């Protein structure tokens, strides 16, 4: 998957049984490899910085530091692993806040085990993943009816717009860099610039925004 190596995964959940179950699911997958587990937010932050996994599954409701706070600190500290919330909460506000804080997806624990594995595989390949029933919640919450959208879009450079469209297709920074023959660092700079111009807080939010904008323009 990544230069013929399995995608590395770190699990964060304060329930040992959940971690054990997910571990057992993933040990049969040749292209996914669990390299670390954490049972608290602080442990997760330290381990993410040490291991630099490709993918992190993060529970929302943990004792002490919750998943949203853990996510925010990880992003603030420069953790650029793909982070997928894996939780029981389908609360609208939790879904939207997680995406706005920098999550790359949101999955519910009541999904079929095989579906969870498949979604994690898609996430490791750079795609945004959501439990089916949450997609419309997110789209509705992020839909912005204001006409300012056209002005904001017009402020983007052609390269920024190009990268934004590729993000909307679910491509990771690494895949975009390869597609456009530029460095990962250059992609990150462009993403930072257009998020500021569009007044958005995460690449996933930007992807939903541009898809909604395109639909409204038709």
């Amino acid at each position: 998957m990544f230069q013929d190596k399995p995608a590395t995964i770190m699990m964060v959940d304060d329930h040992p049984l959940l971690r054990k179950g997910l571990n057992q699911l993933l040990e049969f997958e040749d292209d996914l490899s669990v390299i670390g587990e954490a049972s608290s937010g602080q442990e997760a932050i330290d381990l993410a910085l040490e291991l630099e996994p490709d993918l992190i599954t993060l529970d929302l409701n943990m004792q002490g530091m919750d998943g949203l706070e853990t996510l925010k600190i990880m992003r603030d500290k420069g953790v650029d692993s793909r982070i997928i919330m894996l939780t029981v909460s389908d609360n609208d506000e939790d879904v939207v806040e997680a995406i706005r804080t920098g999550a790359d997806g949101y999955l519910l624990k009541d999904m079929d085990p095989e579906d969870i594995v498949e979604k994690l595989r898609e996430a490791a390949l750079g795609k945004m993943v959501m439990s089916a029933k949450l997609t419309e919640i997110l789209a509705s919450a992020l839909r912005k009816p204001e006409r300012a959208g056209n002005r904001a879009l017009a402020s983007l450079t052609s390269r920024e717009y190009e990268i934004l469209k590729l993000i909307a297709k679910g491509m990771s920074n690494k895949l975009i860099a390869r597609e456009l023959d530029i460095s990962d660092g250059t992609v990150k700079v462009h993403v930072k610039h257009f998020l500021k111009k569009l007044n958005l807080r995460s690449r996933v939010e930007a992807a939903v925004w541009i898809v909604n904008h395109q639909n409204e323009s038709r």
Side-chain angles (χ1 to χ4, degrees):
M1 180 175 290
F2 291 84
Q3 290 79 49
D4 298 323
K5 295 179 182 177
T8 53
I9 298 177
M10 185 181 101
M11 298 183 296
V12 186
D13 199 293
D14 59 1
H15 289 89
L17 197 60
L18 184 282
R19 298 200 309 272
K20 183 177 181 181
L22 193 54
N23 225 324
Q24 289 175 337
L25 270 178
L26 294 173
E27 68 182 10
F28 297 108
E29 307 301 323
D30 294 336
D31 53 353
L32 300 171
S33 173
V34 177
I35 61 168
E37 297 181 29
S39 59
S40 70
Q42 188 57 58
E43 184 185 4
I45 293 162
D46 295 339
L47 204 57
L49 291 167
E50 177 190 340
L51 298 178
E52 298 183 350
D54 297 315
L55 185 67
I56 297 172
T57 64
L58 178 59
D59 189 21
L60 188 69
N61 302 310
M62 297 189 293
Q63 293 190 359
M65 187 187 299
D66 68 16
L68 286 176
E69 189 178 354
T70 303
L71 171 64
K72 183 178 188 308
I73 294 173
M74 280 184 177
R75 292 309 193 204
D76 287 346
K77 287 184 175 290
V79 173
D80 60 2
S81 309
R82 297 185 66 73
I83 301 177
I84 308 301
M85 308 307 291
L86 182 59
T87 180
V88 296
S89 174
D90 60 359
N91 180 280
D92 295 13
E93 291 181 5
D94 287 339
V95 177
V96 174
E97 191 59 30
I99 297 303
R100 284 182 166 156
T101 305
D104 296 292
Y106 198 108
L107 302 177
L108 297 177
K109 290 179 179 177
D110 64 3
M111 294 172 63
D112 288 340
E114 296 81 5
D115 290 341
I116 290 178
V117 171
E118 187 54 39
K119 289 292 187 184
L120 293 182
R121 179 176 287 113
E122 290 177 11
L125 285 168
K127 296 180 180 178
M128 291 173 285
V129 293
M130 298 285 292
S131 288
K133 66 180 179 181
L134 301 179
T135 306
E136 185 53 39
I137 290 174
L138 182 64
S140 297
L142 296 181
R143 191 167 289 126
K144 299 187 176 182
E146 80 235 4
R147 294 186 177 276
N150 287 327
R151 291 197 299 275
L153 208 54
S155 72
L156 303 186
T157 65
S158 57
R159 179 63 95 187
E160 287 167 354
Y161 184 57
E162 191 175 19
I163 291 173
L164 178 55
K165 287 194 295 183
L166 292 176
I167 285 176
K169 291 180 179 179
M171 293 175 68
S172 65
N173 285 355
K174 286 182 181 177
L175 290 175
I176 291 172
R178 199 177 307 157
E179 173 83 11
L180 301 179
D181 197 23
I182 55 180
S183 70
D184 288 9
T186 300
V187 175
K188 286 181 181 179
V189 169
H190 284 307
V191 171
K192 183 179 178 181
H193 286 168
F194 71 61
L195 287 179
K196 186 175 181 181
K197 289 179 180 179
L198 299 175
N199 195 29
L200 300 172
R201 287 188 286 178
S202 75
R203 61 201 310 284
V204 180
E205 191 177 358
V208 176
W209 184 90
I210 189 62
V211 169
N212 285 332
H213 182 80
Q214 289 169 340
N215 288 340
E216 288 164 7
S217 299
R218 286 172 184 165

